[in-house]
Amino acid sequence: MPDPQLVLAARVQAALSAAFGPSYADTDPVIRPSQFADLQANVALPLAKKLGRKPRDVAEEIAAHLDTAGVVSQVQVSGPGFINLTLSDGWIAGEAQRALEDERLAVPLADKPQKVVVEYSSPNVAKEMHVGHLRTTIVGDAIARILAFLGHEVVRDNHVGDWGTPFGMLIEHLLDLGEDAAARDDSSVSDLTAFYQAAREKFDGDEAFADRSRRRVVALQAGDAETLRLWNVLVEVSKRYFNSVYGRLGVTLTDDDIKGESYYNDLLAPTARELEDKGIAVISDGALCAFPPGFTGREGEPLPVIIRKSDGGYNYSTTDLATIRYRVDTEHVDRMIYVVGAPQSLHFQMVFAVARMAGWLNDEVKAEHAQIGNVLGTDGKILRTRAGGTVKLSELLDEAVERAGAVFDEIQHDEPFDDATRAEIVQAVGMGAVKYADLSVARDSEYTFDFDRMISFNGKTGPYLQYATARIRSIFRKGGLSPEDATGPITLAHPAERALALELLGFGAVLKQAGETAEPHRLASYVYSVADVYTTFYENCPVLKAPDEQTRASRLALCAATLRTLVTGLGLLGVPTPERM
């Protein structure tokens, strides 16, 4: 699907070359939206000074050499040198028709596909997921979906916290209670949470238990078979819980995507040794540290990345460096995207800097921190329970479905639903509301979690978009057709038809930008714009009762193209689209 901006940019660049010589062929044509046309080229203003001419004269020279054939219906120079460009209705209709007929909506695959690791969700074993995991999970999943659709080889990586000191106390507590306390199939999350809290309380208050726990950590790290078996009991219980949450959210992570901290345990010592051999890591106050340039403390002293602690232990930085090394040497990735909270920004900056010093990251292999902002309550503070505790993700999702059901029952429906169908729709609406509210906000921004706003069927919400797709489907049901039957041809007679078709042409460009920047909110905003423009079309252009058969066929084709764009776009965001609502 050609992006109108790119098409016009190429035409303007050709005009620049024809008017002023080949050396100007790569000049940025500065294509921008225009209130007087579809788009405008603003290149004349910055170019005029270089040419020593008036901007308007430059603009008129460009316009005189512009090839408009088949694409542009009108060129107008206005103001000090703006070139207003109106696209041909025939070109817009033809490209919309091409998108309708293509299984990918004419969205091209990436010119240079990459192997991309997307690290996201990353909860801790033996702990319940909380609201802080919501954003890292659904934003990361959307990024993975978008990149895969664009043709990249995506490696989903759930870097769970499954190793380290806490597991000594957890295993000892498991032995005290008996394995059935955590291993039974019906073990609930509340039991698991209580299990962790009880273990922590014993560790803090019982020195004998704490000593046993420390010895158990040593056995775990040494690979003791019985300790590893008990550790695996806790991991398996946690996996069942993680999968229950992922299933509700419609997240694509599986057990095969889990590469926890334990996965890289055997790589920690070799990684530290390589950094030391390369002279990047040195002993400082008994610890092995790297000092990447440009990072200093308040007093100007160099900040260290601790590779090995003075007691011989390793930490998160070591694991992250070993992970990068593994992804480069073994998985041969081109890009790594870490979907992790914004407070970890300095940590990742310094780890990436050390990895570049080691040569693991370079111009061909890049790593980026896709920062995630906090979830706030309606009071403007970090979302917490009334008692001040962390909000459990499962309870939040339960409430989303409950509230979605209440709102759903208040609106009018074209047809009645049986209980099973209602439950399925309400589940989709609740999850769609939570996910879209999050994904519609720039990932590095904080946002306010407000059930009343996000579950509304009006405004920029998931339910509004889900209803838009259901409304289009109802048109086809009423007409006794399926969307696949709508083949056009598309013609544009009404301004609302033209506006809708033109909006649909932006899908490919938005996906490309969302993939390049790892910013799903760009796609979330786009699908809302499509639904909004469609509403205007729906209100002004009768479809089934169109004035003639040709217009009816064209409008049905526009409905089908809109439906596929919305369903595809929302699907890449992980937002379900019920057939009926």
Side-chain angles (χ1 to χ4, degrees):
M1 180 184 296
D3 177 8
Q5 292 198 36
L6 294 180
V7 171
L8 291 180
R11 295 286 179 111
V12 173
Q13 285 179 322
L16 286 167
S17 178
F20 308 114
S23 61
Y24 291 91
D26 294 330
T27 303
D28 182 359
V30 196
I31 304 296
R32 299 287 186 267
S34 171
Q35 59 181 327
F36 304 109
D38 294 320
L39 295 161
Q40 65 182 200
N42 298 339
V43 65
L45 281 73
L47 192 58
K49 186 175 182 180
K50 185 175 182 179
L51 293 171
R53 298 173 59 179
K54 294 180 180 179
R56 189 176 179 92
D57 291 344
V58 173
E60 289 175 347
E61 185 79 7
I62 296 170
H65 287 83
L66 185 65
D67 178 11
T68 62
V71 176
V72 179
S73 63
Q74 185 177 9
V75 181
Q76 184 183 38
V77 176
S78 66
F82 302 117
I83 306 172
N84 295 313
L85 304 167
T86 300
L87 294 164
S88 162
D89 289 358
W91 182 82
I92 296 172
E95 293 304 318
Q97 182 74 35
R98 190 165 73 86
L100 175 66
E101 294 170 356
D102 186 84
E103 63 179 9
R104 290 179 49 83
L105 290 163
V107 176
L109 294 169
D111 293 333
K112 297 179 180 179
Q114 294 182 315
K115 186 173 185 179
V116 186
V117 171
V118 184
E119 181 181 307
Y120 64 104
S121 192
S122 306
N124 292 312
V125 163
K127 285 186 178 180
E128 183 169 4
M129 295 172 72
H130 55 76
V131 69
H133 293 110
L134 176 66
R135 300 202 74 189
T136 58
T137 301
I138 62 180
V139 171
D141 203 54
I143 292 171
R145 289 171 186 257
I146 291 168
L147 290 171
F149 185 79
L150 290 171
H152 299 288
E153 181 184 352
V154 175
V155 179
R156 291 165 170 81
D157 194 330
N158 193 357
H159 194 84
V160 300
D162 66 350
W163 202 247
T165 304
F167 287 91
M169 72 179 190
L170 291 169
I171 292 171
E172 287 301 317
H173 186 53
L174 176 64
L175 289 171
D176 287 352
L177 295 180
E179 290 184 35
D180 286 346
R184 63 184 186 273
D185 288 340
D186 63 346
S187 178
S188 68
V189 175
S190 60
D191 288 339
L192 195 56
T193 300
F195 179 90
Y196 185 92
Q197 291 173 341
R200 169 57 66 180
E201 185 175 342
K202 286 169 66 176
F203 185 86
D204 293 339
D206 184 337
E207 188 57 36
F209 178 83
D211 287 341
R212 284 164 45 203
S213 299
R214 296 186 187 101
R215 289 195 297 272
R216 183 64 67 175
V217 171
V218 174
L220 177 64
Q221 293 177 339
D224 176 69
E226 176 62 9
T227 301
L228 286 172
R229 186 188 70 79
L230 294 167
W231 167 79
N232 198 55
V233 168
L234 298 173
V235 171
E236 290 303 315
V237 171
S238 299
K239 281 183 180 179
R240 289 201 296 272
Y241 162 62
F242 297 155
N243 289 334
S244 71
V245 174
Y246 297 151
R248 295 187 69 184
L249 282 169
V251 168
T252 56
L253 286 169
T254 68
D255 287 351
D256 292 338
D257 301 317
I258 292 179
K259 287 191 179 77
E261 294 168 0
S262 62
Y263 189 87
Y264 305 98
N265 187 58
D266 293 341
L267 301 178
L268 301 183
T271 298
R273 186 163 54 249
E274 181 176 339
L275 291 171
E276 192 169 15
D277 290 345
K278 288 181 174 180
I280 296 168
V282 296
I283 300 297
S284 176
D285 293 332
L288 182 66
C289 303
F291 294 89
F295 296 94
T296 57
R298 292 182 179 179
E299 303 300 323
E301 73 281 8
L303 286 179
V305 173
I306 298 175
I307 309 298
R308 187 179 61 235
K309 296 182 289 185
S310 58
D311 62 4
Y314 299 106
N315 57 20
Y316 292 124
S317 295
T318 326
T319 301
D320 284 337
L321 286 165
T323 301
I324 292 173
R325 182 169 171 261
Y326 173 83
R327 289 171 178 169
V328 172
D329 293 345
T330 304
E331 295 186 303
H332 306 294
V333 306
D334 303 298
R335 183 183 181 190
M336 308 173 209
I337 303 174
Y338 293 74
V339 187
V340 182
Q344 295 298 313
S345 175
L346 180 60
H347 166 77
F348 281 115
Q349 288 178 44
M350 296 183 71
V351 165
F352 294 162
V354 173
R356 283 191 292 271
M357 294 169 68
W360 303 329
L361 298 179
N362 47 50
D363 291 341
E364 285 72 42
V365 183
K366 299 183 184 300
E368 60 202 80
H369 177 200
Q371 298 185 38
I372 301 297
N374 291 323
V375 182
L376 307 180
T378 53
D379 59 359
K381 300 177 181 179
I382 292 178
L383 185 64
R384 297 191 180 279
T385 64
R386 291 181 179 178
T390 302
V391 176
K392 296 179 180 180
L393 184 52
S394 58
E395 292 179 357
L396 182 145
L397 299 182
D398 288 341
E399 186 173 355
V401 174
E402 181 181 345
R403 286 176 176 257
V407 175
F408 183 79
D409 291 341
E410 292 176 358
I411 64 175
Q412 290 186 338
H413 305 287
D414 294 336
E415 49 192 313
F417 300 103
D418 58 41
D419 290 344
T421 302
R422 175 196 174 277
E424 184 178 337
I425 295 173
V426 166
Q427 171 72 19
V429 171
M431 295 304 98
V434 170
K435 296 179 79 171
Y436 185 81
D438 191 315
L439 293 165
S440 64
V441 177
R443 55 171 166 72
D444 58 348
S445 299
E446 296 179 329
Y447 85 99
T448 300
F449 195 95
D450 183 348
F451 273 124
D452 291 337
R453 180 186 59 79
M454 66 176 58
I455 295 180
S456 171
F457 278 74
N458 297 303
K460 192 175 182 180
T461 68
Y464 169 77
L465 292 168
Q466 291 171 316
Y467 183 73
T469 65
R471 183 170 60 180
I472 298 173
R473 287 182 169 122
S474 72
I475 291 175
F476 287 98
R477 283 198 301 272
K478 291 175 182 177
L481 303 166
S482 75
E484 291 73 24
D485 296 328
T487 58
I490 293 174
T491 58
L492 306 176
H494 192 284
E497 295 172 325
R498 185 183 190 279
L500 177 58
L502 183 57
E503 189 70 33
L504 294 176
L505 299 189
F507 189 36
V510 167
L511 285 178
K512 181 180 179 182
Q513 189 176 42
E516 288 175 347
T517 60
E519 293 178 330
H521 77 275
R522 297 178 185 276
L523 176 57
S525 295
Y526 171 76
V527 291
Y528 173 75
S529 295
V530 170
D532 193 42
V533 174
Y534 178 82
T535 297
T536 302
F537 163 83
Y538 181 82
E539 293 171 348
N540 290 276
C541 301
V543 178
L544 298 177
K545 295 182 179 181
D548 55 67
E549 189 57 35
Q550 181 180 354
T551 303
R552 183 177 188 269
S554 173
R555 290 177 179 174
L556 282 169
L558 278 171
C559 287
T562 302
L563 177 61
R564 285 184 56 207
T565 302
L566 288 174
V567 170
T568 303
L570 289 169
L572 294 177
L573 295 173
V575 174
T577 50
E579 290 285 330
R580 298 183 297 156
M581 288 180 68

